[in-house]
Amino acid sequence: MKIRLLLPYFAITFGLAWGLILVLMLFPVQIEAIFGKLSAKNPLFILAVYSPAIAALFLVIRHAGLQGLRRYLSRLLLWKVHWGWYAYLIIGIPSLFYAGAAIKGNLFTDPFPFSPWYQVLPALAFMLVLGPIEEFG
């Protein structure tokens, strides 16, 4: 990686994220009136969280053009890993969360957040798109 690209990446990433956080700190009432309470659904919060990806995509387009962006995004389709990793993601991670809830003592006390149960499917689809965007950076 070239150091000349690393400095603008950090400048854009931290400038955008911390700039938005500063705006939220200086004008909390006005921002809440426009965008709602600060939560994971707030567009400014999402923008701050995705600032590494925004910086990366901007710099890739600026220095390599659309062809470079295509090559950069094509890495998302590299799914050739051992089947054990898929098993870990599908079975292992949820098992760890349930084991943690059991140790904490609230395995059966917290209600299931989706009612009816099939509403979990659109939430999973949404997170499959929204979650990885942060990792582009």
Side-chain angles (χ1 to χ4, degrees), residues 107-129:
L107 181 60
F108 298 109
T109 58
D110 287 345
F112 188 65
F114 299 99
S115 178
W117 70 269
Y118 56 81
Q119 285 183 347
V120 76
L121 299 176
L124 285 172
F126 180 68
M127 290 312 296
L128 282 174
V129 174

Side-chain angles (χ1 to χ4, degrees), residues 77-98:
L77 301 175
L78 299 175
W79 290 59
K80 298 176 184 176
V81 295
H82 189 269
W83 65 268
W85 286 110
Y86 291 109
Y88 175 70
L89 287 172
I90 294 170
I91 298 168
I93 298 289
S95 298
L96 288 173
F97 276 96
Y98 283 113

Side-chain angles (χ1 to χ4, degrees), residues 41-94:
K41 296 178 183 178
N42 188 309
L44 294 180
F45 177 81
I46 293 170
L47 189 60
V49 168
Y50 293 153
S51 62
I54 293 167
L57 294 174
F58 172 77
L59 289 172
V60 166
I61 290 171
R62 185 165 187 265
H63 291 281
L66 292 178
Q67 226 19 279
L69 180 64
R70 189 177 78 52
R71 284 191 316 270
Y72 179 73
L73 294 176
S74 70
R75 291 189 258 168
L76 292 174
L77 301 175
L78 299 175
W79 290 59
K80 298 176 184 176
V81 295
H82 189 269
W83 65 268
W85 286 110
Y86 291 109
Y88 175 70
L89 287 172
I90 294 170
I91 298 168
I93 298 289

